[in-house]
Amino acid sequence: MFAINFAHKQGDNLLQTQAVGDAVALIRARLGVPQVDVVAWSKGEVAARAYVSSVRPAWGRAYAGDVRRLVTLGGPNGGLDYVYAHGWAFSPAVWPACGGTANAPSPHLSMTCYGTYTAQPCLGVLPSGGYDCYPGQRQLLARWDGSYGVDAGAQDWWTTYYGGQGYYTAGQGIRAAIDAGSLIGPLQRAGIPAAVRTYLLAGGAADIPGVLNENRGPSDGIVFTRSALDTTGIGTVGGSRLLGGLNHLELAWAPEAMSQVDAWLD
């Protein structure tokens, strides 16, 4: 078993796609094998899927046919709208003017903190003011308001999701962010080759401690179950399973999840 990590957890998935390809090539050379199996969790699933789908930067290398099986753990195959769907709930945690320190993007470009209206374009999901610090999150976006609505009990919920000036915040909305570079549509259209047997594991417990769990519909706390099990564009589905007692984090280490991965790779 080999593992790969990325330089920035919110980084550009297209750059990370090339890192996946490099890792696969190195492992093949070291072991002297024609193909490897890839297990990818959460955002990492997007980079792995992009590699086998040949979705890459203009300078990037196409898929080399060197993956036998792809196992996804809580992967946003159908995208997510988590950051946009809960009003200003996430912004205070990341906005320095409000005391935030989290390394995460905000759906807003301006917000009132302690009575002062401030702009912070470097924190936005969209490129703004010469900044583009969180392309990796923009690339995961898809609208789910048609299926699960938007959290209408949250402050500035309408303007956060659809764009505009709210009572405390202002932003461009999820549609603008998707148009600025979501990879979900391109990945589904490109498709995973039928020769790559793909397996999908989803969690069903929205109980991650310390965060606002996604509760608008069945989810693992971050990714909707329907998104994690979405097979659009997958050439060969080897298997799928919902582990209703696991949240998004537990999919990466819980014995039940690991046992299922072992069975799929046997």
Side-chain angles (χ1 to χ4, degrees), residues 37 68-69 199 260-266:
D37 296 330
R68 184 184 70 136
R69 295 178 183 175
Y199 301 80
Q260 181 60 77
V261 172
D262 287 344
W264 280 337
L265 297 181
D266 187 10

Side-chain angles (χ1 to χ4, degrees), residues 4-95:
I4 179 174
N5 209 339
F6 303 117
H8 193 313
K9 68 178 182 180
Q10 309 281 5
D12 190 330
N13 289 285
L14 293 180
L15 299 182
Q16 294 173 357
T17 292
Q18 296 299 291
V20 171
D22 288 346
V24 170
L26 180 62
I27 294 165
R28 287 178 55 218
R30 181 170 296 184
L31 299 182
V33 297
Q35 292 185 313
V36 302
D37 296 330
V38 176
V39 180
W41 171 62
S42 193
K43 180 178 177 291
E45 182 267 345
V46 175
R49 178 169 179 165
Y51 173 61
V52 299
S53 300
S54 288
V55 175
R56 61 194 191 277
W59 49 265
R61 298 176 311 283
Y63 173 53
D66 47 10
V67 174
R68 184 184 70 136
R69 295 178 183 175
L70 172 63
V71 178
T72 72
L73 312 177
N77 289 292
L80 51 81
D81 59 1
Y82 174 71
V83 172
Y84 281 88
H86 298 275
W88 78 337
F90 299 104
S91 289
V94 303
W95 215 264

Side-chain angles (χ1 to χ4, degrees), residues 25 56 67 70 83 85 91 96 99 132 147 155 183 210 240 246 263:
R56 61 194 191 277
V67 174
L70 172 63
V83 172
S91 289
D132 189 11
S147 298
Q155 181 68 48
L183 289 180
S240 63
L246 301 186

Side-chain angles (χ1 to χ4, degrees), residues 150-188:
V150 182
D151 184 0
Q155 181 68 48
D156 289 2
W157 67 275
W158 178 273
T159 51
T160 298
Y161 201 92
Y162 299 107
Q165 177 68 59
Y167 189 77
Y168 289 108
T169 61
Q172 296 156 300
I174 192 172
R175 181 73 263 166
I178 290 172
D179 291 344
S182 173
L183 289 180
I184 300 304
L187 284 172
Q188 291 181 338

Side-chain angles (χ1 to χ4, degrees), residues 39-42 72-75 200-205 219-220 223 228 241-258 261:
V39 180
W41 171 62
S42 193
T72 72
L73 312 177
L200 304 97
L201 191 64
S219 83
D220 61 12
V223 178
R241 186 180 177 191
L242 170 63
L243 297 179
L246 301 186
N247 64 38
H248 189 72
L249 301 181
E250 291 167 337
L251 286 171
W253 64 69
E256 187 178 3
M258 296 303 96
V261 172

